[in-house]
Amino acid sequence: MTEFKEPIFAELNKLFEERIVILDGATGTELQTYKLQEEDFRGEEFKDWCCDVKGNNDLLCLTKPDLIKKVHLDYLNAGSDFIETNTFNANCISMLDYQMEKYVKRINIAAAQLAKEAAEEVYKATGVKRYVCGAIGPTNRTCSISPSVEKPEFRNVTYDQLVEAYTEQIEALIEGGADILLIETIFDTLNAKAALFATNSVLDKLGRRLPIMISGTITDASGRTLSGQTVDAFYTSMRHGELFSIGLNCALGTEAMRPHIARLAEIGEAWVTAYPNAGLPNAMGEYDQTPEEMAQELTDFMASGLVNLVGGCCGSRPHHIAAIKKASIGIKPRPKGTRDSNMVLSGLERLVVNKETGFLNIGERCNIAGSLKFKRLIKNNDYDAAMAIAREQVENGATVIDFNLDDGLVDGEQAITKLINLCVSDPDISKVPFMVDSSNFAVIEAGLKCVQGKCIVNSLSLKGGEEPFIEQAKLVKRYGAAVVVMAFDEVGQAATEADKIRICKRAYDLLVGPKIGFPPEDIIFDPNVLTIATGLEEHNNYAVDFLNATKWIKENLPGAKVSGGLSNLSFSFRGVEKIRQPMHSIFLYHGIKDYGIDMAIVNAGTMPVYTDIDPEIVRLCEAAIFNKQDLGDGRNVVEALTELADKLRTQKDSTEKAAEEWRSKPVEERLSYALVKGIVEHIVKDVDECRQNKAKYPKCLHIIEGPLMAGMSIVGDLFGSGKMFLPQVIKSARVMKKAVGHLIPFMEDEKSGDSSSQGKIVLATVKGDVHDIGKNIVGVVLGCNNYEIIDLGVMTPLPTIMDAIKEHKPNIVGLSGLITPSLDEMVTVAKEFKRCKLDIPLLIGGATTSKMHTAVKLNPHYKNVVHVLDASKSVVVCGSLMGPTKEEFLEDTTDMYDEMRDEYWAGVKDRKYLTLDQAREKGLKIDFLKTPPACKPTFLGSKVYEYPLEEVIPYIDWNPFFQVWQIRGKYPNRGYPKLFNCPEVGEEARKLFDDAQKMLKDICAKKTYKLKGIVSFHAANSKGDDIVLYKDEERKEVLETFLGLRQQVQKDTAEPYYALGDFVAPPGIPDYLGQLVCACFGCDDLVAEFKKAQDDYGIIMAEALADRLAEGYAEVLHKDIRRKYWGYETSEEQCADDLIKQAYKGIRPAPGYPSQPDHHEKKKMWSTCPVDEETGISLTESLAMLPAASVSALVFGHPESVYFAVGKIQKDQVADYAKRRSVSLKEAEHDLGFNALAYEPDEE
């Protein structure tokens, strides 16, 4: 694709930035009003045509050009900026219906010329430039769906036929003068991919670059295209096409289209468009929606910031467009999206490959080279059975399916076309992305031409030199696929670390360079897993070379991923699976954890769990993998493995018999074994055996709470420690699901009667937030008061909440959130409630929420909103909302909020502030010569620490624990441990504390929880309010800048106006900044157990203890930072109580909290320190930490550093801060939020 962009791009980008752009309406609808007859369509030229042509609207460009031009002028005069050519069906495939395929070029040229003439006329008359979109319809055939139920692999059109048809149409539209190419009404994404391929190929051939607009069609309420893709998957399949815009049209009315447009607006990197139908057709197939109604609904799209261009599809006419144009005036368009740097793949659903996704399992069983069974099925033409293998892999947890049909006796192109066409027709298979795998590029192309999603090509290499590599890579990019590149060049296969690095670096530079422009995130290197333990010395280091090359690639080739085929590694021991599979598991265990392998083609279901492998096999395999040849017992590792292989071969029969010995163990042990191993065959029989034992298990629930949950606990521990892979966990979950599913009918019989509930309540922790302790408590309390609770869990997106309201019709909805970005999401939900004209009471709760925030930020958008302080108040509030005084209660609450809001803004205005310059002048001025910075830390960079739970427990601050449970002592018995003496709550507090100690003891004994943290130190200096981190001690290259905010509220004392930058020395004086991030892992697994056991008490206790352990761990880490890792207070002797009271030198404030209320500063911690990679602690899109029990902090060592709260700040500082952050004032105001701003920001 040429890098040149024509001037129209700058024109249109400016236009789309400034205002909402208006597209025309339906040409076909307008033509219908003229009641044209057969002779009108035929005209003079086609009066003797061989078949009827009535309905061939595109033909009117030749037979009634004046009418077509008039329709264009009517839409332009109504306010359209863009008009579409009358060419929706002007392609040789659709024209076959009229036997007029040879007229395609003439029709398209004429259509573009007519539209261009109309646009130029109106431009001259009005001075407002108008543009012509060359309309490219989907054709009347589908490339992804068979027209025959009996032959699902059959297609009545091929990809190549579509490309040929689209090429002819696109060349003619460009020749006729179209400004833009609009591929629209896409119901089959593969058709659109063919259109994109043709479009970009034509533009390349012509040396031109025109804007490409894409518009899909959601066919029903399921939110999918006709070919089955979600909106996310559809966009993922299209985004390779260098799009100017992405959007939706047709099929749905405005209201039904809204959530899908909102999703495109959220994920789309291009401009977003929407031109829905004028409502839905009536019984007569006509559209009744008035211009005013359509304009009103589209106004919501525009005002909500979802779109850049709007128009009309079926049923819309010029007066609809005039109304929409009028409604658009003054509304700001959606800002253009930013590119997602993650690899994103798709089948019917989207797969984002990032740190949260983790290791990617690519199913290997649909590979002729990897499965003799699959090879036999393909050769026998048994494709149904071959599909069953693909389906089974998805069920077992494969996130991508590899298809390889390379064999001398198989026609690869024909076979892969048939197999993929079949698999595409099965939604259970095609929901995941495909990998098209072949050493023959023609076979790869055949496979790509069948896949509507974004897949992976496996593979390309430099074996044939740069020229074919570049050409093939260009084609892969044009097909819209990611690519695997083998470490292979003209010399041969890379074996050594140096050769692997050299070839991968060369290939990467070619791919991302100007000749190809391949997205770096879509590049996957396979540095060649080669066979070890062969007896040849030159092979001994092959695994080490692969792993080291992997680490280098991840560190030096931005965006690139690493994959590998494991079967080569153990090829020396072919036939001895008892060595091969453990070796693969051990290699992956270390490769993922320590070197960064992203994905591999594996049959994970056959690999043993790392901890289940015989220790001797682990010892020998690790010695072979890491080239530790001398075992210290007179043998080398190859000899030892060979001896073991010979032994295992002779013991094969007895080993297989031993594998079934577990069946003779007690039933509880059998259940646990089956869950851990994922063995489903005997589960129903074993569960029934428990069920028959009424003395031990009087109720089925006891079976779930007992042996079943014990087994799942082991699975959770193994997975949490990285010793089980996701597919193996999924197999365990399937076993559990089958067991519980078998018990459910019996549990229903055990229920004693039905009870009517007080009402139905939907609860949710809002999108981006992972904290749910408070919500869980509220749910338990309300449940105990006979309310039916529908708990949507954590990180709940708005569409899920709205869907739950439609499905469950609740009496009340409750939202929870802990972090400050959650407050903004609550505002979004409140606005949507108002937009949808709901009147359901909306309860607000969570640590960062407040009655004042509800009054100021939520109540203006939705009147029926009520803040609930804690669970104890929830029953009273819900009772008021469900009783006869509901309306009175809401009116009183709204009146109270009105008064609070007025008082708040009056108070903010009355409060006195210093200007930013004044506050800086009165900031803390440390004399760093008299009071020098803390000493140099013992290391620079980062280190990971894992502390035993027992070491952290003494440092738990129990006061927040009791606050979670809402147990509060009264003076003089407030706070732990004095509240044990409180007459009112002392006894319950002691019981709760004892239960906590029991659970902690149990957690320690079972190692259910695990504490992991990372500490880093960097050279640092202050720069005004900010702190600059350097890459090294030379302090020449800046690594990152942490931004500070300064107190501005006027003080009555001489106390300085603090900013965090005050505590760090200026340039010229060496200083340092520490960081710590730590978490308690394992809580989710324990909570899952309690949820399955319906043990709400256990859930809340487990989460509360995890939070306390994480905070205690942060306290211990900070202590050891001061005493050992930084070492500026080596003689510090503080007890746990002193630490909790912060009686130490230095501070550890957290980004997003009082000293720096912008959570976005957390991102800088993750970018300067390998937090996610080394610990698994990650950030959500709303900057909450995962797991929920996590703590992050910046660590300051200067003795004059103190904790402080920035408080409210004025607009001058926010503007200055926005400039330093390189964001708009509006974005800075949004991110700082209600609690930080001393003024009410403009809504616009």
Side-chain angles (χ1 to χ4, degrees):
M1 185 64 96
T2 178
E3 291 297 312
F4 168 72
K5 285 192 175 183
E6 301 183 20
I8 190 173
F9 279 91
E11 291 177 22
L12 294 185
N13 280 320
K14 185 173 185 293
L15 179 65
F16 274 61
E17 287 170 359
E18 291 175 346
R19 64 176 175 85
I20 303 289
V21 177
I22 305 300
L23 182 68
D24 61 5
T27 300
T29 299
E30 189 63 10
L31 288 173
Q32 287 172 17
T33 65
Y34 290 89
K35 309 295 183 184
L36 300 178
Q37 301 304 311
E38 177 70 23
E39 57 270 20
D40 297 308
F41 283 90
R42 287 174 177 263
E44 185 62 28
E45 182 177 356
F46 302 100
K47 65 181 181 180
D48 297 323
W49 196 248
C50 59
C51 64
D52 289 345
V53 293
K54 183 180 179 182
N56 186 355
N57 287 347
D58 301 19
L59 181 60
L60 295 172
C61 295
L62 301 180
T63 58
K64 286 238 175 241
D66 292 342
L67 176 59
I68 297 302
K69 184 175 178 180
K70 180 182 185 305
V71 171
H72 289 322
L73 288 169
D74 288 345
Y75 278 121
L76 289 166
N77 290 323
S80 295
D81 300 293
F82 286 18
I83 54 171
E84 295 187 47
T85 57
N86 181 37
T87 52
F88 186 79
N89 288 307
N91 59 77
C92 61
I93 295 171
S94 299
M95 283 292 165
L96 278 171
D97 291 348
Y98 302 101
Q99 301 182 41
M100 304 192 80
E101 57 271 24
K102 71 177 183 180
Y103 293 94
V104 164
K105 182 175 181 179
R106 273 186 63 197
I107 291 171
N108 281 280
I109 292 173
Q113 289 173 341
L114 287 169
K116 195 71 176 174
E117 288 172 12
E120 291 294 333
E121 284 183 25
V122 176
Y123 176 28
K124 289 177 182 176
T126 63
V128 178
K129 191 168 183 180
R130 312 301 173 96
Y131 300 88
V132 172
C133 300
I136 303 163
T139 80
N140 53 8
R141 300 188 182 186
T142 62
C143 202
S144 291
I145 304 171
S146 172
S148 169
V149 176
E150 293 77 18
K151 295 184 66 178
E153 76 278 15
F154 173 69
R155 300 291 184 269
N156 61 6
V157 69
T158 67
Y159 186 93
D160 289 335
Q161 288 169 343
L162 286 167
V163 170
E164 183 181 356
Y166 284 130
T167 297
E168 180 185 25
Q169 181 178 19
I170 291 160
E171 287 178 342
L173 286 169
I174 294 173
E175 184 178 341
D179 303 303
I180 299 155
L181 297 170
L182 170 57
I183 302 166
E184 65 174 347
T185 321
I186 299 161
F187 51 77
D188 184 339
T189 308
L190 188 54
N191 286 38
K193 287 177 75 174
L196 273 177
F197 190 99
T199 301
N200 285 315
S201 298
V202 169
L203 291 172
D204 265 4
K205 184 175 74 171
L206 297 175
R208 297 197 62 187
R209 185 74 183 96
L210 293 178
I212 302 171
M213 300 174 68
I214 289 286
S215 186
T217 292
I218 301 300
T219 54
D220 55 40
S222 68
R224 293 178 182 260
T225 62
L226 182 66
S227 54
Q229 282 195 312
T230 64
V231 169
D232 292 52
F234 162 68
Y235 174 62
T236 301
S237 301
M238 293 287 96
R239 65 195 285 259
H240 70 279
E242 302 183 54
L243 310 181
F244 180 78
S245 71
I246 184 81
L248 298 174
N249 72 289
C250 201
L252 302 176
T254 312
E255 186 66 21
M257 185 185 283
R258 190 185 195 280
H260 312 304
I261 285 291
R263 182 59 181 160
L264 278 180
E266 183 178 352
I267 64 175
E269 299 146 341
W271 304 111
V272 173
T273 66
Y275 48 112
N277 292 342
L280 296 175
N282 59 28
M284 303 302 294
E286 298 172 342
Y287 293 84
D288 300 324
Q289 192 171 51
T290 66
E292 293 71 26
E293 289 168 344
M294 189 177 186
Q296 182 179 358
E297 291 185 355
L298 278 175
T299 298
D300 171 58
F301 281 39
M302 296 184 280
S304 299
L306 304 181
V307 291
N308 303 98
L309 174 148
V310 291
C313 201
C314 302
S316 62
R317 298 185 58 203
H319 48 292
H320 289 85
I321 299 305
I324 294 167
K325 172 68 175 180
K326 183 178 179 182
S328 74
I329 295 171
I331 300 178
K332 290 187 176 180
R334 164 190 174 270
K336 193 174 184 180
T338 54
R339 182 167 178 79
D340 187 346
S341 60
N342 292 309
M343 173 186 279
V344 188
L345 307 171
S346 64
L348 296 183
E349 298 168 6
R350 184 172 78 146
L351 173 66
V352 180
V353 183
N354 56 21
K355 293 166 186 174
E356 288 72 32
T357 312
F359 178 74
L360 213 62
N361 295 283
I362 303 173
E364 70 169 358
R365 306 311 295 165
C366 290
N367 186 324
I368 283 181
S371 169
L372 290 174
K373 178 181 177 181
F374 183 75
K375 180 178 181 178
R376 184 174 64 253
L377 294 173
I378 295 299
K379 286 189 172 181
N380 293 336
N381 206 34
D382 190 352
Y383 282 85
D384 287 341
M387 283 177 65
I389 291 177
R391 192 180 304 110
E392 182 183 18
Q393 288 184 98
V394 177
E395 290 171 354
N396 285 340
T399 44
V400 177
I401 298 293
D402 178 70
F403 293 98
N404 184 310
L405 283 81
D406 284 357
D407 185 87
L409 299 178
V410 173
D411 182 337
E413 292 182 53
Q414 183 273 333
I416 203 162
T417 299
K418 182 173 182 178
L419 180 62
I420 291 183
N421 277 343
L422 283 167
C423 289
V424 164
S425 69
D426 186 332
D428 290 333
I429 302 173
S430 59
K431 67 182 180 181
V432 303
F434 292 173
M435 174 180 275
V436 182
D437 185 353
S438 179
S439 58
N440 183 342
F441 193 72
V443 175
I444 287 175
E445 282 200 272
L448 291 173
K449 292 171 182 178
C450 302
V451 183
Q452 67 169 328
K454 179 180 177 182
C455 58
I456 302 173
V457 163
N458 187 11
S459 61
L460 302 184
S461 77
L462 286 160
K463 183 178 181 180
E466 290 189 3
E467 186 175 342
F469 177 79
I470 290 170
E471 289 307 309
Q472 290 176 0
K474 284 181 177 179
L475 278 171
V476 171
K477 180 186 175 188
R478 181 144 297 168
Y479 282 113
V483 67
V484 175
V485 178
M486 300 294 296
F488 210 121
D489 66 2
E490 301 91 335
V491 177
Q493 188 177 45
T496 66
E497 177 184 344
D499 281 343
K500 293 176 193 291
I501 289 172
R502 175 181 58 80
I503 294 173
C504 291
K505 174 71 164 61
R506 179 186 172 197
Y508 181 86
D509 290 343
L510 286 170
L511 285 167
V512 301
K515 289 185 178 179
I516 304 173
F518 211 94
E521 68 271 15
D522 285 345
I523 300 170
I524 306 161
F525 286 107
D526 185 341
N528 306 328
V529 178
L530 301 177
T531 306
I532 60 173
T534 64
L536 298 175
E537 184 178 353
E538 58 266 31
H539 297 175
N540 291 345
N541 212 52
Y542 277 169
V544 174
D545 287 330
F546 179 93
L547 294 171
N548 288 342
T550 294
K551 193 166 188 179
W552 187 92
I553 289 167
K554 297 304 294 291
E555 291 174 351
N556 294 278
L557 304 181
K561 313 291 184 294
V562 174
S563 178
L566 298 185
S567 59
N568 284 344
L569 182 75
S570 62
F571 196 68
S572 294
F573 303 98
R574 56 192 178 277
V576 190
E577 293 303 302
K578 296 292 189 293
I579 287 180
R580 296 196 74 182
Q581 294 303 331
M583 186 178 284
H584 299 165
S585 181
I586 293 163
F587 181 78
L588 270 187
Y589 174 72
H590 293 289
I592 296 167
K593 182 167 65 76
D594 300 324
Y595 295 90
I597 295 176
D598 298 286
M599 60 190 76
I601 301 175
V602 298
N603 185 9
T606 65
M607 284 196 302
V609 179
Y610 180 82
T611 53
D612 285 349
I613 302 171
D614 182 281
E616 179 62 10
I617 294 179
V618 172
R619 183 176 79 91
L620 295 179
C621 287
E622 287 183 342
I625 289 167
F626 292 105
N627 193 12
K628 297 175 181 177
Q629 296 297 314
D630 187 357
L631 296 175
D633 57 4
R635 300 178 301 165
N636 68 37
V637 67
V638 177
E639 292 170 351
L641 278 170
T642 303
E643 289 174 13
L644 180 61
D646 291 339
K647 182 179 177 182
L648 290 172
R649 281 191 185 98
T650 61
Q651 293 179 347
K652 183 175 181 181
D653 291 338
S654 60
T655 302
E656 287 178 351
K657 291 177 182 176
E660 292 297 322
E661 285 181 1
W662 67 279
R663 295 299 305 151
S664 63
K665 294 181 178 180
V667 67
E668 289 81 6
E669 292 184 38
R670 298 202 304 268
L671 287 172
S672 180
Y673 187 91
L675 284 163
V676 173
K677 300 296 182 183
I679 301 170
V680 78
E681 287 82 0
H682 312 285
I683 195 70
V684 171
K685 179 182 176 182
D686 289 346
V687 166
D688 266 337
E689 184 177 332
C690 289
R691 191 172 59 82
Q692 299 301 329
N693 189 347
K694 295 297 183 184
K696 193 169 186 179
Y697 302 109
K699 290 191 174 184
C700 293
L701 180 61
H702 300 155
I703 303 171
I704 296 173
E705 290 177 334
L708 291 176
M709 290 309 302
M712 286 306 290
S713 177
I714 297 169
V715 172
D717 288 343
L718 292 172
F719 183 54
S721 60
K723 295 171 183 176
M724 275 183 80
F725 300 120
L726 182 60
Q728 296 161 322
V729 176
I730 291 174
K731 288 177 72 177
S732 298
R734 286 175 62 203
V735 177
M736 183 69 173
K737 185 175 181 180
K738 186 160 187 175
V740 174
H742 179 68
L743 290 173
I744 283 174
F746 301 103
M747 294 172 70
E748 292 292 334
D749 293 340
E750 291 170 355
K751 286 184 178 179
S752 56
D754 296 325
S755 60
S756 59
S757 70
Q758 291 266 47
K760 196 179 291 186
I761 301 175
V762 166
L763 297 178
T765 299
V766 294
K767 175 184 170 184
D769 203 323
V770 297
H771 302 87
D772 65 351
I773 298 180
K775 172 178 65 66
N776 291 341
I777 293 174
V778 169
V780 172
V781 170
L782 291 172
C784 291
N785 283 270
N786 204 26
Y787 288 94
E788 181 183 349
I789 304 300
I790 296 99
D791 190 341
L792 303 182
V794 300
M795 298 182 68
T796 312
L798 176 58
T800 301
I801 295 171
M802 302 307 292
D803 288 345
I805 291 171
K806 291 177 183 177
E807 179 182 353
H808 299 289
K809 297 179 175 54
N811 304 99
I812 297 170
V813 175
L815 302 181
S816 175
L818 180 69
I819 59 173
T820 49
S822 301
L823 301 178
D824 293 324
E825 185 63 22
M826 290 176 179
V827 173
T828 300
V829 175
K831 288 179 177 178
E832 182 68 2
F833 274 34
K834 181 179 180 180
R835 189 191 72 81
C836 293
K837 297 180 173 59
L838 300 181
D839 62 357
I840 306 170
L842 179 62
L843 305 187
I844 300 295
T848 56
T849 66
S850 66
K851 186 183 289 187
M852 185 60 78
H853 175 268
T854 304
V856 176
K857 302 301 288 185
L858 290 168
N859 184 253
H861 298 295
Y862 189 66
K863 293 302 179 185
N864 289 1
V865 63
V866 181
H867 180 260
V868 181
L869 181 63
D870 55 38
S872 64
K873 304 293 190 297
S874 63
V875 176
V876 176
V877 171
C878 289
S880 299
L881 292 171
M882 294 296 296
T885 60
K886 171 186 173 181
E887 296 303 324
E888 184 180 346
F889 176 80
L890 286 171
E891 286 178 13
D892 290 345
T893 302
T894 298
D895 290 344
M896 176 183 67
Y897 288 159
D898 289 343
E899 293 175 8
M900 290 177 66
R901 191 162 55 251
D902 292 342
E903 291 172 4
Y904 173 82
W905 290 119
V908 167
K909 291 173 183 175
D910 290 344
R911 196 175 298 167
K912 295 182 179 179
Y913 298 87
L914 270 62
T915 66
L916 179 58
D917 290 340
Q918 291 170 334
R920 284 172 172 166
E921 183 64 30
K922 295 187 177 184
L924 177 67
K925 305 292 193 293
I926 296 175
D927 187 335
F928 286 98
L929 296 178
K930 288 184 178 179
T931 313
C935 61
K936 182 179 178 179
T938 59
F939 66 88
L940 295 182
S942 62
K943 288 187 179 181
V944 175
Y945 297 96
E946 296 184 20
Y947 281 35
L949 295 169
E950 293 81 358
E951 187 174 334
V952 170
I953 288 172
Y955 292 88
I956 287 178
D957 181 358
W958 288 101
N959 283 307
F961 172 81
F962 288 108
Q963 290 166 13
V964 165
W965 290 96
Q966 299 171 23
I967 291 182
R968 305 177 180 93
K970 293 184 178 180
Y971 179 83
N973 296 310
R974 291 177 184 158
Y976 169 82
K978 291 188 290 183
L979 61 78
F980 293 147
N981 301 320
C982 180
E984 288 84 0
V985 302
E987 185 177 349
E988 286 302 315
R990 172 59 70 183
K991 288 179 183 177
L992 183 67
F993 186 73
D994 290 345
D995 285 346
Q997 301 311 305
K998 289 177 185 175
M999 185 174 282
L1000 274 177
K1001 185 177 179 181
D1002 191 54
I1003 287 170
C1004 291
K1006 295 180 179 178
K1007 300 191 184 322
T1008 311
Y1009 287 1
K1010 180 180 180 182
L1011 298 174
K1012 196 168 187 179
I1014 189 166
V1015 172
S1016 69
F1017 299 105
H1018 291 89
N1021 286 115
S1022 62
K1023 182 182 179 183
D1025 300 340
D1026 304 333
I1027 302 163
V1028 177
L1029 264 59
Y1030 300 99
K1031 285 196 172 180
D1032 51 42
E1033 189 69 283
E1034 292 186 8
R1035 301 172 188 261
K1036 293 180 179 178
E1037 191 172 352
V1038 173
L1039 176 64
E1040 187 56 88
T1041 301
F1042 283 96
L1043 303 182
L1045 290 165
R1046 188 170 295 279
Q1047 295 173 317
Q1048 282 188 274
V1049 177
Q1050 187 169 315
K1051 302 182 181 184
D1052 296 330
T1053 66
E1055 183 183 69
Y1057 290 75
Y1058 293 110
L1060 288 174
D1062 295 344
F1063 307 139
V1064 179
I1069 302 175
D1071 205 346
Y1072 305 88
L1073 184 71
Q1075 300 177 56
L1076 75 83
V1077 183
C1078 62
C1080 177
F1081 289 86
C1083 180
D1084 289 345
D1085 297 322
L1086 186 57
V1087 165
E1089 295 175 26
F1090 287 126
K1091 283 183 178 178
K1092 289 172 184 174
Q1094 298 182 333
D1095 184 352
D1096 296 313
Y1097 183 83
I1099 291 169
I1100 296 163
M1101 179 68 76
E1103 291 178 329
L1105 289 177
D1107 278 352
R1108 291 300 88 220
L1109 284 166
E1111 290 287 354
Y1113 185 30
E1115 206 64 80
V1116 175
L1117 273 178
H1118 191 203
K1119 169 177 70 74
D1120 286 348
I1121 286 172
R1122 298 191 301 273
R1123 295 173 61 181
K1124 295 191 294 186
Y1125 310 142
W1126 196 334
Y1128 64 81
E1129 276 291 291
T1130 55
S1131 60
E1132 177 186 293
E1133 293 294 338
Q1134 303 276 12
C1135 67
D1137 284 344
D1138 291 334
L1139 296 185
I1140 291 168
K1141 294 173 183 175
Q1142 302 172 353
Y1144 48 72
K1145 290 183 181 178
I1147 58 173
R1148 57 172 182 92
Y1153 290 91
S1155 298
Q1156 214 309 5
D1158 187 353
H1159 281 267
H1160 283 75
E1161 291 296 291
K1162 279 186 204 163
K1163 290 183 179 179
K1164 298 176 182 178
M1165 297 183 68
W1166 265 251
S1167 70
T1168 57
C1169 180
V1171 180
D1172 202 343
E1173 298 89 334
E1174 298 290 340
T1175 68
I1177 306 169
S1178 60
L1179 295 175
T1180 70
E1181 60 182 307
S1182 295
L1183 304 174
M1185 291 178 285
L1186 282 173
S1190 300
V1191 178
S1192 63
L1194 301 177
V1195 182
F1196 295 78
H1198 198 279
E1200 291 189 39
S1201 58
V1202 294
Y1203 289 103
F1204 67 93
V1206 170
K1208 301 283 186 184
I1209 59 175
Q1210 286 282 22
K1211 197 167 189 175
D1212 62 341
Q1213 180 162 196
V1214 178
D1216 182 84
Y1217 182 73
K1219 185 176 180 181
R1220 281 147 52 209
R1221 250 192 75 187
S1222 300
V1223 299
S1224 66
L1225 175 65
K1226 184 176 181 180
E1227 185 173 344
E1229 290 172 335
H1230 174 273
D1231 293 341
L1232 289 169
F1234 162 79
N1235 291 324
L1237 302 182
Y1239 62 94
E1240 186 172 11
D1242 296 333
E1243 285 293 326
E1244 293 300 318

